[in-house]
Amino acid sequence: MKTAYRIVTPILAVAGIVLGVFLKLFTFVIGNGDDTINNLISAVSQLTSGKFSTTYEYSLFELIKMALTTEPKTGEDAKSFTEVAKAVMPDIYAFAALFAVMIIVLIVIAVVSALAKDKKKRNAAFFLCGFGLAVSIAAIVVSNDAFSKISGGEVNLPDLVSLFSDNSLVTLATAILTVTSATLSAGFYSIFGIYLFIIIWTILSNMLISTPIQPSKNHKVKHTRRSLKAVAGKK
């Protein structure tokens, strides 16, 4: 069981890192309560060959790729991302730091659990997961604060969209829309789930290692038969 723990736990931790990076991390839904405007949205979506949608999902990998490949806008009215998202920049920095800690904790768990030859190191992985969960909850609080600001209109949606799209129809459409929903997605909650799973797995492993399950043995009582000569000899 000790060997199984040292193999399975690092795999779980690495899987959490991969899922957190490549699965969708954020989901944004934009829209309007007016049916006429919603019909216009459908028309714009057709004109842009599906490039415009009311639902946008981004993984950490995609966000990094966008940040590296998107060229800054030039011109008198051009704004940088930090200018457009000024209202939520403190939340973005805080969430980025917390999410980085979540990833680092998984890396440490992978190393510690791979070397976990005794209960002390298995418990260290357990407490690291607890710390990771606490950081995750803090990240949820920070993200909810940022999402409320975005949904409240503190971030100019057309300016934000224009940073990543050169399509004038898309920018025009966002001028009459608002962010109706902003949530964390599978990428984040997969890490959260991995922490919980490792905690449960560690508890079960400690229990099995301390009190291993052994097959029950049926002891048969051997009945000795005395010969007639032996019985006669004692009389």
Side-chain angles (χ1 to χ4, degrees), residues 188-208:
F188 180 87
Y189 289 108
S190 62
I191 296 179
F192 194 90
I194 288 292
Y195 284 143
L196 289 175
F197 192 88
I198 293 177
I199 286 175
I200 296 171
W201 165 243
T202 302
I203 293 172
L204 291 175
S205 297
N206 283 338
M207 290 173 60
L208 291 173

Side-chain angles (χ1 to χ4, degrees), residues 121-160:
K121 289 184 178 178
R122 290 194 298 273
N123 286 341
F126 175 89
F127 289 115
L128 281 168
C129 285
F131 174 71
L133 286 175
V135 175
S136 301
I137 293 171
I140 292 173
V141 173
V142 170
S143 64
N144 286 340
D145 182 63
F147 293 154
S148 64
K149 291 176 182 178
I150 294 171
S151 301
E154 294 187 39
V155 176
N156 188 288
L157 187 58
D159 287 345
L160 183 62

Side-chain angles (χ1 to χ4, degrees), residues 3-230:
T3 302
Y5 184 87
R6 294 172 62 188
I7 295 173
V8 174
T9 313
I11 292 174
L12 290 173
V14 172
I17 296 171
V18 174
L19 294 174
V21 172
F22 291 99
L23 288 183
K24 302 301 181 183
L25 186 60
F26 302 110
T27 299
F28 299 96
V29 179
I30 60 175
N32 193 291
D34 194 317
D35 291 336
T36 303
I37 294 177
N38 286 330
N39 291 332
L40 177 61
I41 294 171
S42 299
V44 171
S45 179
Q46 293 176 359
L47 290 172
T48 57
S49 302
K51 292 181 180 180
F52 174 76
S53 175
T54 57
T55 302
Y56 294 89
E57 296 179 298
Y58 302 99
S59 66
L60 178 61
F61 176 76
E62 290 170 337
L63 291 172
I64 294 173
K65 186 178 179 180
M66 288 169 61
L68 294 175
T69 59
T70 302
E71 296 181 359
K73 302 293 182 179
T74 57
E76 295 182 359
D77 298 329
K79 295 181 180 179
S80 65
F81 177 80
T82 53
E83 291 175 322
V84 174
K86 183 179 179 179
V88 294
M89 286 308 297
D91 295 318
I92 291 175
Y93 290 138
F95 181 86
L98 291 170
F99 194 76
V101 171
M102 290 169 62
I103 297 293
I104 293 171
V105 169
L106 284 176
I107 296 173
V108 176
I109 289 172
V111 175
V112 170
S113 60
L115 303 173
K117 295 181 179 181
D118 52 33
K119 186 176 180 180
K120 183 178 180 180
K121 289 184 178 178
R122 290 194 298 273
N123 286 341
F126 175 89
F127 289 115
L128 281 168
C129 285
F131 174 71
L133 286 175
V135 175
S136 301
I137 293 171
I140 292 173
V141 173
V142 170
S143 64
N144 286 340
D145 182 63
F147 293 154
S148 64
K149 291 176 182 178
I150 294 171
S151 301
E154 294 187 39
V155 176
N156 188 288
L157 187 58
D159 287 345
L160 183 62
V161 171
S162 65
L163 290 174
F164 306 103
S165 176
D166 294 323
N167 195 309
S168 58
L169 285 173
V170 173
T171 305
L172 177 63
T174 55
I176 54 176
L177 301 175
T178 58
V179 177
T180 58
S181 175
T183 58
L184 292 170
S185 296
F188 180 87
Y189 289 108
S190 62
I191 296 179
F192 194 90
I194 288 292
Y195 284 143
L196 289 175
F197 192 88
I198 293 177
I199 286 175
I200 296 171
W201 165 243
T202 302
I203 293 172
L204 291 175
S205 297
N206 283 338
M207 290 173 60
L208 291 173
I209 291 170
S210 61
T211 55
I213 300 174
Q214 297 179 348
S216 58
K217 296 180 180 179
N218 295 323
H219 298 281
K220 295 182 179 180
V221 178
K222 295 182 178 180
H223 298 281
T224 57
R225 296 181 179 180
R226 296 180 179 182
S227 64
L228 292 175
K229 293 182 178 180

